[in-house]
Amino acid sequence: RTTWIGEAYIVGKVLADHPITLQVFDRNGIAILNETIKRDVVEVEPGTDDVDPDVDSTEAWYRRGLILENFDNRENAKVAYTEALSRSAVHADAHLRYGLMLMRSAQWQQAESHLLTAGENGKAEGYYYAGVLNLIQGKPENAKALFTRSVNEKQLHTVALIGLGKTAMLQGQLQTAHNHFTTTHEETDEPFTSTLLLAISSFTNKETDQARQLIDAVLKVDPLNLPA
């Protein structure tokens, strides 16, 4: 049996904000995966009246980076963020955006440096995403410390708690993971992720009936939920 690999290069300007649909069929032509990823343009942070796009300032370069990133012009966005940081090494937002772009490019060491600097300068998202990065790299102890530093931020509380639950599972602390997932399941308005993670931890704790009920609850709302 041969493995088929195909590559297609699409210019970002052409792709723009169009959705991407991924379809996978088995050898009998039956669809086993049909998923559409929406790529709606995210609203760019509004500029202030006193920021002239032609001004050679930290804020002007940062906002250029936002606009370029928003239109999927990633390489030039990186240049703009670099220019902003060359003028102010403590611009937390520029460190965060640049760090996230490096993270998506799998430039993990450089990404972590910028994300941590963003956190140190008051942008708690930097600590959270640095935690995600350490979790990806199989460094649960580092990830746990970083999620802990961001879990008290209101807008990050749920995702950071999920991160702590995943970290606990990696470290074999199954009851701690179960407790974290239970909390997020009870707190979030869109509980699919939390519900599935709670189901996994319930199954691991040999609570198979509860795990089955949780998965059934997800499938009742979303019958095509692939992880469920």
Side-chain angles (χ1 to χ4, degrees):
R1 184 171 59 181
T2 59
T3 300
W4 175 81
I5 298 177
E7 292 185 359
Y9 296 90
I10 304 174
V11 179
K13 187 176 180 181
V14 175
L15 186 60
D17 62 342
H18 300 296
I20 298 174
T21 300
L22 175 64
Q23 295 178 309
V24 179
F25 300 87
D26 65 14
R27 64 181 60 189
N28 296 317
I30 299 174
I32 56 176
L33 176 63
N34 188 350
E35 186 168 350
T36 298
I37 303 171
K38 293 183 178 180
R39 302 184 69 255
D40 298 331
V41 174
V42 178
E43 184 178 353
V44 177
E45 295 179 18
T48 57
D49 294 337
D50 59 346
V51 175
D52 187 329
D54 295 324
V55 172
D56 186 21
S57 68
T58 301
E59 193 64 21
W61 277 109
Y62 167 66
R63 293 195 180 282
R64 287 187 193 115
L66 282 179
I67 293 170
L68 289 164
E69 185 182 357
N70 193 52
F71 286 100
D72 216 17
N73 191 341
R74 299 181 185 180
E75 292 308 312
N76 284 330
K78 288 180 181 179
V79 171
Y81 291 139
T82 301
E83 290 288 346
L85 292 172
S86 72
R87 288 157 177 77
S88 174
V90 293
H91 196 292
D93 290 306
H95 276 294
L96 177 65
R97 297 309 314 168
Y98 190 37
L100 289 174
M101 294 196 77
L102 291 170
M103 184 176 174
R104 289 195 292 271
S105 301
Q107 295 171 269
W108 290 345
Q109 186 174 354
Q110 301 97 310
E112 184 173 6
S113 175
H114 285 285
L115 293 171
L116 289 176
T117 303
E120 290 163 1
N121 286 281
K123 205 73 177 176
E125 292 98 321
Y127 289 135
Y128 168 72
Y129 285 110
V132 172
L133 193 53
N134 276 272
L135 197 60
I136 291 171
Q137 296 179 89
K139 301 176 182 177
E141 200 60 43
N142 290 350
K144 179 180 179 180
L146 291 161
F147 288 137
T148 300
R149 297 183 76 168
S150 57
V151 74
N152 291 326
E153 289 290 326
K154 184 177 180 181
Q155 72 273 23
L156 297 171
H157 176 72
T158 298
V159 290
L161 206 56
I162 288 174
L164 286 170
K166 292 178 179 178
T167 301
M169 288 194 75
L170 281 177
Q171 294 178 311
Q173 300 168 358
L174 301 182
Q175 189 57 52
T176 299
H178 189 75
N179 293 341
H180 286 318
F181 295 144
T182 299
T183 300
T184 56
H185 174 71
E186 293 171 350
E187 291 180 350
T188 184
D189 293 329
E190 298 180 5
F192 279 179
T193 299
S194 298
T195 301
L196 289 172
L197 289 169
L198 181 57
I200 292 170
S201 65
S202 297
F203 184 79
T204 305
N205 284 337
K206 299 183 179 180
E207 299 174 9
T208 52
D209 288 341
Q210 182 185 15
R212 196 170 286 113
Q213 290 173 7
L214 290 165
I215 293 174
D216 285 344
V218 172
L219 292 174
K220 184 176 181 180
V221 178
D222 181 9
L224 298 179
N225 189 290
L226 297 177

